[in-house]
Amino acid sequence: MIRVPKIFALVPKSLRKIVDLNVRCLATQGSKESQSFTMNMFRGQLQTNQVFPYPKPLNEEQEEILNMLVDPMETFFKEVNNPFKNDENASIDKDTLKSLWDLGAFGIQVPQDLGGLGLNNTQYARLVEIVGYNDLGVGITLGAHQSIGFKGILLFGTPEQKKKYLPRVTSGSVAAFCLTEPSCGSDAGAVRSKAIKSTDGSHYILNGSKIWISNGGLAEIMTVFAQVPIKDPITGETKDKVTAFIVERAFGGVTNGPPENKMGIKCSNTTEVYYEDVKIPAENLLGGEGQGFKVAMQILNNGRFGMGAALSGTMQSCIKKATEHAVQRVQFGRTINNYGTIQEKLARMSMLQYITQSVAYMVSGNMDTGSQDYHLEAAISKVFASESAWWVCDEAIQILGGMGFMKATGLERVLRDLRIFRIFEGTNDILRLFIALTGIQYAGSHLKELQKAFKNPTANLGLIAEEVSRRATRVIGLNSPSIAHLVHPSLADSADLCVKSVESFGSVIESILVKYGKGIVDEQFILNRLAQAAIDTYTMAAVLSRASASLTNNVSSAEHELLMAQVWCTEASSRVAENLKAVGTTKNLDVYTKLSKISRNICDVGGVVQKNPLGF
Ligand code: MYA
């Protein structure tokens, strides 16, 4: 009989008889091995394949093609588009839209033989970065069309659907993504629109309505999500399941409300859309009956890096305005860029832009080289970009002072435009939970396997030995995993900070799983802190990778990038430690309980509970 090694004792008893780890989570990764850095971080493991070296997915020809498109795009924004006018009119005029169609900007990723530019995600990222630099309202018109509007046809369309619709969406027919309803916002599965299949199976009849649909008043072609009653072939039970359809306005019965009066991205068109007895041919089913929820999620996952790319452009333009002001504005005898207060602002603004851009191109690069495991990183890209851009624009306004508050400077419009980015395409709050729960599920599945292995240790010695050795190195601190060989030598210390964050992540997740089991899904105070720690850790890895590549290739800004990467890793690793501590200490748990109680009190009385201090 093979003896189980004594080192077995290194695995805590609690883990050997792990509590119910059937964590019901938001995602599906199961126990499949993931290449995602973030997913593996939840197991305390370093998976660096998608992080190091920094992706460089374009060959010379692709770079050349991209360069040929960059100039006309920049010229369009300099000479044709007027963001002030677009905002003022709350629309984009016909000539401006026509120029965008002529540029091919509505079909960036559609294959060339179907009328598009045939670009990959990285090339798309570069072009939308220019869009984000100049006009986010135009960006949403373009993004709602291709990032989500017809993305489903690109990803899931049959060859016939692609052949029929892609040439149209590149030559004048606007597309829209129609998911949201009054009852269905963050809860994407709560769609009420209904499509009933005809008895001969030739078509569906769709009824329902959608709200806040970008391009809703312009779209000729829509990806629409509706419930379809589906009979289970085994149980015979009929259940409604979300299903995706390609719907043409020309089918009849499709109407829309007036353009919504919004805070920002005013020139983009947002309306309600109504479907009344719309007859959809059965061949317009997208991705199969009952597959609509996954189709929607995949479309959203696939488009999220675009927001990161666009917003890195927006931040760049805010930083430019703030810098131009800071170097010429004299106060107290010196230009204000000489003061530490302004220096810290500019440095932090620039770091956030650097990280946002590094993450966006890392995700697009991974997607272009065939990764399927990019969902958490895409969510991080969206969350990080939208929060950073808001902060950067706000600080730019602060640096400009009174000037920043004036419409003419253009920053107030950008700030208004930016506000929605933390809300749509998955609110940042929902995406934080998605990141944390998906990661936890992945870690949980591993622990579950381990739990099974311990039931029959002799048959699973390999798995157990590997785990035991991992734990031994963690406990003893010897031969800790390292990424020193993957980063430039000047970043070795910063890389250690990143590794430490990953390692502590693993042990914290394990103890959380042991403590809460499946109940973790309801612990949102904890989940938010874990998500924040994951965001900080992944962004550390992304900047380490990019700065290392710049240093190795002697890029002219390499020393500047080194400074930003070092500062980011120092500060982010401290935040990770703080957040990981905050999920376990009695003091913090007590704070969450109290916060929850404060909120309940507020809801009980319908607002602020206390009176004015003078009793008024
Ligand atoms: S469009 C509207 C955006 N709306 C949303 O994003 C909705 C957010 N809600 C959700 O994402 C989901 O409902 C959540 C799931 C995450 C809350 N990837 O029972 P479940 C799987 C892959 O846990 P729920 C807009 O804003 C899951 O594993 N799979 O689901 C316009 C499970 O699978 P299985 C996923 O509790 C903006 C199944 O689905 C994912 O309901 C315009 C059910 O899971 C996922 N992410 O909650 C922007 N999630 O059954 C314009 C779940 O196999 C573009 N699953 O276990 C701008 C572009 C930028 C500018 C560009 C310039 C050009």
Side-chain angles (χ1 to χ4, degrees), residues 326-369:
V327 296
Q328 59 79 30
R329 173 73 170 160
V330 178
Q331 287 290 276
F332 309 106
R334 289 196 288 169
T335 53
I336 61 172
N337 62 313
N338 285 297
Y339 299 114
T341 305
I342 302 296
Q343 288 171 351
E344 180 165 354
K345 285 187 197 301
L346 285 176
R348 290 194 181 284
M349 289 156 75
S350 176
M351 280 196 302
L352 292 178
Q353 191 275 340
Y354 181 68
I355 294 151
T356 300
Q357 194 181 43
S358 308
V359 169
Y361 283 94
M362 181 166 274
V363 176
S364 69
N366 286 328
M367 289 167 75
D368 286 334
T369 46

Side-chain angles (χ1 to χ4, degrees), residues 270-544:
T270 313
T271 69
E272 296 186 355
V273 181
Y274 317 109
Y275 305 97
E276 205 182 329
D277 292 332
V278 180
K279 190 173 171 185
I280 312 171
E283 62 266 23
N284 276 32
L285 194 64
L286 188 61
E289 264 189 359
Q291 296 302 309
F293 187 81
K294 284 198 177 163
V295 168
M297 291 303 112
Q298 298 292 359
I299 292 172
L300 292 163
N301 289 337
N302 190 280
R304 282 190 178 121
F305 76 92
M307 207 177 265
L311 294 181
S312 81
T314 313
M315 285 187 242
Q316 215 171 322
S317 83
C318 295
I319 292 167
K320 186 164 191 292
K321 283 188 174 141
T323 312
E324 282 169 359
H325 181 82
V327 296
Q328 59 79 30
R329 173 73 170 160
V330 178
Q331 287 290 276
F332 309 106
R334 289 196 288 169
T335 53
I336 61 172
N337 62 313
N338 285 297
Y339 299 114
T341 305
I342 302 296
Q343 288 171 351
E344 180 165 354
K345 285 187 197 301
L346 285 176
R348 290 194 181 284
M349 289 156 75
S350 176
M351 280 196 302
L352 292 178
Q353 191 275 340
Y354 181 68
I355 294 151
T356 300
Q357 194 181 43
S358 308
V359 169
Y361 283 94
M362 181 166 274
V363 176
S364 69
N366 286 328
M367 289 167 75
D368 286 334
T369 46
S371 167
Q372 298 298 316
D373 299 328
Y374 60 82
H375 304 148
L376 295 200
E377 285 77 6
I380 289 176
S381 174
K382 190 272 181 185
V383 171
F384 191 88
S386 56
E387 290 174 8
S388 298
W390 174 260
W391 190 87
V392 164
C393 183
D394 186 53
E395 285 293 68
I397 291 174
Q398 191 69 15
I399 290 174
L400 268 88
M403 274 306 290
F405 198 60
M406 298 298 116
K407 268 193 172 239
T409 314
L411 285 167
E412 68 81 34
R413 171 180 49 79
V414 176
L415 193 76
R416 282 189 284 107
D417 287 349
L418 281 170
R419 188 59 188 85
I420 189 62
F421 284 78
R422 283 153 58 200
I423 299 171
F424 65 14
E425 258 205 347
T427 66
N428 288 10
D429 315 273
I430 277 292
L431 291 180
R432 279 198 162 83
L433 298 177
F434 169 66
I435 293 164
L437 284 171
T438 308
I440 287 174
Q441 185 186 37
Y442 187 63
S445 66
H446 174 67
L447 294 181
K448 226 175 154 188
E449 268 170 37
L450 215 58
Q451 182 192 22
K452 261 197 230 150
F454 277 111
K455 285 189 181 145
N456 187 3
T458 46
N460 293 291
L461 259 190
L463 180 64
I464 293 174
E466 194 187 307
E467 185 61 23
V468 161
S469 120
R470 223 165 54 79
R471 278 159 202 278
T473 47
R474 197 194 283 164
V475 171
I476 303 161
L478 279 178
N479 297 324
S480 250
S482 165
I483 51 170
H485 59 295
L486 298 171
V487 301
H488 188 271
S490 7
L491 282 164
D493 290 346
S494 304
D496 277 350
L497 296 175
C498 178
V499 171
K500 283 203 179 80
S501 294
V502 172
E503 284 194 301
S504 32
F505 219 94
S507 43
V508 167
I509 295 297
E510 202 169 275
S511 47
I512 289 235
L513 274 169
V514 169
K515 179 169 175 187
Y516 294 98
K518 64 182 173 187
I520 188 62
V521 291
D522 296 320
E523 299 292 336
Q524 296 194 353
F525 288 95
I526 290 175
L527 293 170
N528 282 327
R529 282 152 184 85
L530 291 175
Q532 197 48 48
I535 292 170
D536 269 323
T537 309
Y538 177 66
T539 54
M540 272 192 257
V543 292
L544 282 166

Side-chain angles (χ1 to χ4, degrees), residues 24-29 124 128 131 139-140 142-144 146-148 177 179-180 185-189 214 293-294 297-298 300-301 303-304 306-307 310 375 421 423-427 430-431 434:
R24 184 212 162 264
C25 273
L26 297 172
T28 43
Q29 296 296 327
Y124 174 85
V128 300
V131 178
I140 294 311
L142 293 171
Q146 57 199 319
S147 182
I148 52 177
F177 178 81
L179 173 65
T180 307
S186 289
D187 186 359
S214 298
F293 187 81
K294 284 198 177 163
M297 291 303 112
Q298 298 292 359
L300 292 163
N301 289 337
R304 282 190 178 121
M307 207 177 265
H375 304 148
F421 284 78
I423 299 171
F424 65 14
E425 258 205 347
T427 66
I430 277 292
L431 291 180
F434 169 66

